[in-house]
Amino acid sequence: EKYGVSYEDMREAMAKVSWKNHHNGALNPKALYRKETPIEQIRKSPMICEPYLSIMDCSGVSDGAACAILTSAENAHNYKSEPMYIKAAEIVASSGVGMFETSYDYTTVLEAEVASQRAYEKAGITDPSEQLDLVELHDCFTITEIVLYEALGLSKRGEGWKDALAGKYEI
């Protein structure tokens, strides 16, 4: 409502995010779900939280793990012939008070916005949408992924849904 997005457009954008995520999972032999799901099946999936969240908008329940080995730039070639270099890393935490405030704005994730802005500044990034080659973004709901596109400066405020529909975040 804040950005004038119709229910139909937002549901279609969310379906597109789910379709993209299942497509990407099909390419990863270690993914929890390794098969593509037709967008028609996603569109028809049962609602579990009216009016927006269907079963296909929510992450599966599972346990998992990830690991990154960090070392100094000088030692990086001891571990990989073509290492990746981190220019900046930021963490921002909140008190969690937002969930108890009726005025809390759920159209952004302020902590992600602040952390990304700080990291971009340190790394010399002025236009993340154009300057980043890869962003790995995880969240438990398709709608939150769209909100995070905007919080991270990858989409203009209120237009993440348009970018999802346009396929901007597909491989």
Side-chain angles (χ1 to χ4, degrees):
E1 290 176 10
K2 180 177 180 176
Y3 295 107
V5 184
S6 72
Y7 172 83
E8 294 77 16
D9 284 342
M10 185 56 74
R11 280 297 312 139
E12 189 61 21
M14 292 166 64
K16 192 82 179 265
V17 168
S18 182
W19 174 85
K20 170 195 58 84
N21 292 345
H22 282 83
H23 172 76
N24 292 349
L27 302 173
N28 181 351
K30 295 183 180 183
L32 177 62
Y33 301 112
R34 292 182 298 271
K35 68 176 193 167
E36 293 200 46
T37 304
I39 198 157
E40 260 320 301
Q41 182 179 337
I42 293 167
R43 288 182 185 124
K44 293 177 182 177
S45 64
M47 283 288 165
I48 60 168
C49 185
E50 292 285 351
Y52 282 103
L53 294 178
S54 76
I55 192 76
M56 298 300 285
D57 292 306
C58 305
S59 63
V61 177
S62 68
D63 293 327
C67 176
I69 298 173
L70 304 179
T71 187
S72 67
E74 297 79 29
N75 287 329
H77 284 282
N78 293 335
Y79 300 97
K80 191 158 177 73
S81 61
E82 294 183 37
M84 296 176 74
Y85 295 96
I86 298 171
K87 289 187 175 185
E90 286 288 328
I91 296 175
V92 174
S94 76
S95 65
V97 72
M99 69 178 96
F100 301 109
E101 295 287 331
T102 57
S103 63
Y104 186 78
D105 183 356
Y106 287 93
T107 65
T108 192
V109 180
L110 185 59
E111 297 81 8
E113 187 173 333
V114 171
S116 64
Q117 287 172 352
R118 289 178 182 174
Y120 296 155
E121 185 178 330
K122 285 181 179 178
I125 293 171
T126 57
D127 185 354
S129 181
E130 293 296 321
Q131 291 174 281
L132 296 176
D133 294 323
L134 172 73
V135 173
E136 188 163 345
L137 171 61
H138 299 272
D139 206 277
C140 53
F141 304 112
T142 55
I143 186 65
T144 315
E145 184 172 322
I146 292 170
V147 169
L148 285 168
Y149 296 158
E150 298 171 15
L152 297 175
L154 304 171
S155 291
K156 291 179 182 175
R157 187 71 63 204
E159 296 186 7
W161 69 276
K162 290 179 185 177
D163 289 340
L165 283 176
K168 180 176 180 177
Y169 302 109
E170 295 172 25
I171 294 174

